[in-house]
Amino acid sequence: MADNTSSGWGSRLGFILASAGSAVGLGAIWKFPYMAGTNGGSVFMLPYIFFTLTVGISLLIAEFTMGRAGRAGPMESLRKVAGRGWGFFGFVGVCTVFLILSFYSCVGGWTLKYLADAAMGEGLITDPAVLGQHFGGFVSNAGLSFVFQLIFLAITALVVLRGIEEGIERISKVLMPSLFILMLLLIVRGITLPGSWAGVEYLFYPRWEEFNATALFNAMGFCFFSLSLGAGTMITYGSYLSPKADLTGSVGWVALLAILSSILGGMMIMPAVFAFSLDPTAGPGLTFVTMPAIFAQLPFGQLFAVFFYICLVVAALTSSVSMLEACVACFTRQFNITRRTAIFITIAGCTIVGFASTMSFGPWADVKLFGKTIFDLLDYVTSNVGMPLSTFGIAIAAAWVAWGSTRHELVQGHPMSEGTLKFIRIMIGVVSPLFVLTVALGSL
């Protein structure tokens, strides 16, 4: 029974929603509003959408085709399809996603804590300074933070333990539509507040004077970040996709849902922020400091706070599930161990590394490597080294080393002209690697 619970997706819709859930993480809710607002509004948004629908889709195609052709985890898929040495890039992706899950679960634990507080009516304080102290006191309490991190990891493990169709797919079909419905409810409430239209203008009104090379680079980086590229998750999900499924159509839907979730995240937060004249450039602080101050001033504020933090938990969970599945797929298919054992090994490792991440906000706050705390160092290494390196190797493999396999996967169930195939090959093998190198070198 090594892997009998992970045979494949029960439907194309399940695959699309699970893949979109992997891409739609916490960044869509707190990072995109801040990025769009401080980089020129729609003049940031339009390049981000353009890059996602061109380079982003090309890189997703590369990962999904390598996964479906290899029918294995990230390492084994690349080794089988492109050759033994190319499994290295899959290995980098798995190591990267393991480290991301280790510190991402720390933030996932925060969302659970704030959801619990909202449900009990606690933390709804109008003074952002007091809320800032409340947040700082919580994250510096390493013991309490670690407990919530363990709960988040346990929930993630329970979903993955159920397998693909009964676990990941089933929960994605419930959580992703629920996420969009809750976001729409919060958006409607936000834009009905007096003064909220200034937040809509902040997001969408083009401010050309604020758009420069840095803003363009940020749009490129957020495209890469928002699609969960280079972390082994998309190769893994692609490996469970039926050969009969329309791969390119599915990729298009994943990209569109990722864009939609980011825009909805902005619309959910910024109108309310401006309605109460709070700081729209607070970054991550928008989630845990600014928004509770808003809910404290709203009629039925506790109810909307619960809705908001449910959105955060859902976004965090759909991403963490895909991360854990990528690690589990590597263990079960590479080393032929049971799914249950693979989950236990991964969660145990994440608990150890995650504990260090949590401690970096408390007793180990002064412990720094290369000038960064443990949490920040893991974030930096995975975002600026691991993900770009893995994605670069996958793109080269898909376009130049194993183009025959890539081409075969593209035309299955969806015939394409030679011109279209050549265009896709150039996008995957030339434009996308240059894009990845630009983002990586700029970040470093």
Side-chain angles (χ1 to χ4, degrees), residues 120-137:
M120 293 185 291
E122 298 178 1
L124 299 183
I125 303 167
T126 56
D127 187 351
V130 176
L131 285 166
Q133 294 172 3
H134 175 74
F135 176 69

Side-chain angles (χ1 to χ4, degrees), residues 3-4 13-14 21 43 88 102 119 186 195 220 321 351 384 391 442 444:
D3 202 23
N4 61 354
L13 175 63
V43 294
F88 166 76
S102 298
L186 289 166
M220 296 172 69
V321 162
T351 298
N384 300 304
T391 305
L444 291 172

Side-chain angles (χ1 to χ4, degrees), residues 129-146:
V130 176
L131 285 166
Q133 294 172 3
H134 175 74
F135 176 69
F138 164 61
V139 299
S140 62
N141 185 338
L144 184 61
S145 295
F146 187 57

